[in-house]
Amino acid sequence: MTTYLLGHLNYWLIIGVMMIGMFTMMSSPNLMKKLAGLSMFQTAVILFYVSIGKVEDGTAPIITETATRYANPLPQVLMLTAIVVGVATMALGFALIIRIRRAYNSMEEDDIHLQIQREELD
Amino acid sequence: MELLTVLLVVIPLICAPITAMIADRRVAWALTLMMCLALAVISAMVLNDVTTGKVIHYELGGWKPPWGIEYVIDSLNALIAVIVAFIALITVIYGRKSAEQEIHDSQIHLFYAAFQLVILGLMGMALTGDIFNLFVFLEISSLASYALIAMGHKRQALVASFNYLIAGTLGATFFLLGIGFLYAASGTLNMADLAARFDDFASMKLVITALLFILIGLALKAAAFPLHSWLPEAYTQAPTMVTVLLASTSTKVAVYVLIRMLYQVFPQAYWEEMLLPGFLMLSGCLGMLYGSYKALCQVSIKRLLAYSSVAQLGYMIVGIGLNNEAGLTAAIVHMFNHAVTKAALFMAAGMVLMRLHTTSLDKLRGAGKTMPWTTGAFALAGLSLIGVPGTAGFISKWYLVQGALAQGNYLVAGSILGASILAIMYVWKIIETLYFDGSDKLHVHKVGSGKQIVADLPVATACCYLMVFACFYFGLYTSIPLEAAQTAVQAMMGNGGAQ
């Protein structure tokens, strides 16, 4: 049991990061914190991919004569793409927050919703 | 022909940065038009080539699958490519004036560049045979559409776009996580390879988790019933051109990916036994009733049509959930028919918005007398939305009800009829206001004095009527979507049966 728990330590941590990220994203009324939560959630998935690429006793995937087992490089390569996508999402999210803040003078969801409701009534 | 298929992705990929660099609205529009024209021609040629049941494979960079990325085009995704390309083409012709009116001059070339990126992403999602490549295209199209929605002229567009960003990214990340589980189980990312070797790893619990993550991620993207909350606001607040494009293509492509995953990555026999088909039917039925009911409650035409989109997506989800030939055919044909119908309706709504600066029904009483052409388009396309015999909407609903009755599932058939009655009510609500309510004098809102009002929109009206004509044409001559759908369904169901 202990070896199982310790052997999968990285996965437990990843699940933790993922849940914290998702909880922040869903519960926080602050747009900036929402975006931070989203970023954490994405990061957890990236860590997950890197973890599944690990092969026991494997070295870096560069062919040498001494090594016989190599780690799987593909998940890491995939994550390079995912990181780029994540950066683009964050950039767009921040840009939107800046414009929302200029338009509504607030970053709190409740406050913005109140203003929208008032607008709708007009 | 193989080389032509990759052009469907390469042309917008080259065109978009060029458009972004040229800061001239006319050149930007012309470039977008040329691009869409090229895509439409190529996709029509490809569809014509594959309806016979042939499958085109293209290996990118000459790397053999399953190691390299390959594009696989059969009659299903060729049909999707045709929908995307033709809707985009007509939207671009239609939207020139509306884009000039809604988007600031200094941003208009960037607007067109983002517009091309959405098309690129949707095309890529449709054509690729590699599951990770699909995620990348999904994100390209989503990111570009967040930016486009945020360009809406009201400040609410920003909030709508932000909410879509949160929901969309969450969906895409779920999808990515699902791919990760699937890769951990199988060691491959090629869809055909996954399906071929599925039995080797089907017993792992990981695979169910992967299926669920992929399903929920795509359901978020396709705005299936409980996960639809981003859709109404995003469609309401986006600029007209963007609403037309997104409403008729982006959710359809997500539904297409759902079909692809459920029938050609995960074998049918694998998920049939689970609660999944029942759950899909439940989500679809609730979606169509809820969407139609909410549509009935709306005052703004654009929001009404957006909620009706939620309902129409319900029909497609039900078609998948029915899990028989008629149901799946209905889902695919409905993707096509609904794209045409919703494009016509949103185009008409866009023209109302352009001329009167409002889509609120209580300000449009008796507009039928002042704007006979626009409101006429509403009425005619509305018939197709309801599913009156002789229109495109009827064909797909007919197959759907047949599929439901073939299973003896009267509850589903009843929900379809119920949602159709609600559709009659909300379309009637628009028509009643436009034609039969005492005509107030129409007020043109929020126009500065001395500013020339866009009084006549001959090109936009022509485009709108082209779509209205298509609603009726595809109701009477169903061969194009129906043949493609039937070939695709036979290929998919055939695979499922053999395994």
Side-chain angles (χ1 to χ4, degrees), chain B residues 183-401:
Chain B
Y183 179 73
S186 67
T188 178
L189 292 166
N190 184 291
M191 290 186 207
D193 197 34
L194 274 168
R197 301 203 289 110
F198 196 82
D199 288 338
D200 301 346
F201 54 83
S203 56
M204 290 191 208
K205 277 193 186 136
L206 214 55
V207 182
I208 295 185
T209 324
L211 175 64
L212 289 179
F213 270 119
I214 288 178
L215 217 59
I216 292 173
L218 288 174
L220 248 170
K221 275 279 154 199
F225 167 59
L227 308 169
H228 65 278
S229 61
W230 58 267
L231 185 142
E233 273 313 291
Y235 284 7
T236 312
Q237 303 301 339
T240 306
M241 233 175 121
V242 179
T243 312
V244 175
L245 181 75
L246 292 186
S248 34
T249 57
S250 92
T251 43
K252 311 290 172 302
V253 175
V255 172
Y256 150 76
V257 177
L258 198 63
I259 293 178
R260 183 66 86 194
M261 290 296 145
L262 284 179
Y263 287 91
Q264 291 195 316
V265 174
F266 296 91
Q268 200 183 351
Y270 179 72
W271 52 268
E272 220 165 26
E273 298 305 313
M274 295 186 226
L275 283 171
L276 195 58
F279 190 76
L280 283 174
M281 274 193 278
L282 183 70
S283 149
C285 287
L286 288 177
M288 47 199 193
L289 292 171
Y290 167 86
S292 304
Y293 171 72
K294 284 293 274 186
L296 193 58
C297 302
Q298 300 307 316
V299 191
S300 151
I301 294 183
K302 256 182 136 180
R303 197 167 287 145
L304 186 152
L305 293 176
Y307 272 109
S308 136
S309 274
V310 174
Q312 303 290 323
L313 284 161
Y315 289 108
M316 294 170 216
I317 305 286
V318 166
I320 301 171
L322 282 174
N323 195 24
N324 56 20
E325 229 164 275
L328 198 57
T329 312
I332 296 167
V333 175
H334 199 55
M335 278 197 254
F336 183 89
N337 292 342
H338 180 242
V340 173
T341 312
K342 245 328 136 46
L345 284 166
F346 270 119
M347 279 177 180
M351 286 194 291
V352 172
L353 182 70
M354 247 190 289
R355 293 169 65 170
L356 304 175
H357 293 261
T358 178
T359 56
S360 177
L361 274 176
D362 46 9
K363 286 170 187 156
L364 291 173
R365 285 197 195 98
K369 291 176 190 92
T370 7
M371 299 195 299
W373 286 96
T374 313
T375 49
F378 250 120
L380 293 173
L383 292 180
S384 176
L385 192 64
I386 297 167
V388 175
T391 59
F394 174 71
I395 306 295
S396 29
K397 281 192 189 168
W398 176 250
Y399 272 93
L400 201 57
V401 173

Side-chain angles (χ1 to χ4, degrees), chain B residues 45 47 67 76 107 128 154 164 192 211 223 272 291 301 375 377 478-479 485:
Chain B
M45 281 164 67
L47 178 66
W67 297 282
L76 176 56
Q107 287 178 337
T128 188
K154 276 195 198 162
Y164 184 18
L211 175 64
E272 220 165 26
I301 294 183
T375 49
T478 50
S479 66

Side-chain angles (χ1 to χ4, degrees), chain A residues 38-59:
Chain A
L38 187 67
S39 180
M40 277 181 78
F41 182 63
Q42 281 185 315
T43 312
V45 176
I46 291 171
L47 290 175
F48 167 73
Y49 264 82
V50 174
S51 289
I52 61 174
K54 164 82 178 154
V55 175
E56 227 167 289
D57 300 327
T59 63

Side-chain angles (χ1 to χ4, degrees), chain A residues 25 31 38 41-42 45 49 52 72 74 78 81 85 88-89 92 96-97 99-100 103-104 112 115 119-120, chain B residues 132 136 139 143 146 150 155-156 158-159 161-162 165 169-170 173-174 176-177 179-181 183 189 303:
Chain A
M25 192 182 77
L31 299 187
L38 187 67
F41 182 63
Q42 281 185 315
V45 176
Y49 264 82
I52 61 174
N72 185 353
L74 187 72
L78 298 179
T81 320
V85 169
T89 313
L92 190 60
L96 281 175
I97 289 180
R99 286 195 48 199
I100 288 174
Y104 288 92
I112 294 170
Q115 293 191 43
E119 234 167 87
E120 294 274 291
Chain B
F132 190 81
V136 176
E139 280 292 42
L143 284 167
Y146 307 147
R155 60 177 182 172
Q156 285 172 26
L158 298 169
V159 183
S161 170
F162 187 81
L165 182 135
T169 311
L170 188 65
T173 313
F174 269 178
L176 182 63
L177 200 56
I179 297 173
F181 280 119
Y183 179 73
L189 292 166
R303 197 167 287 145

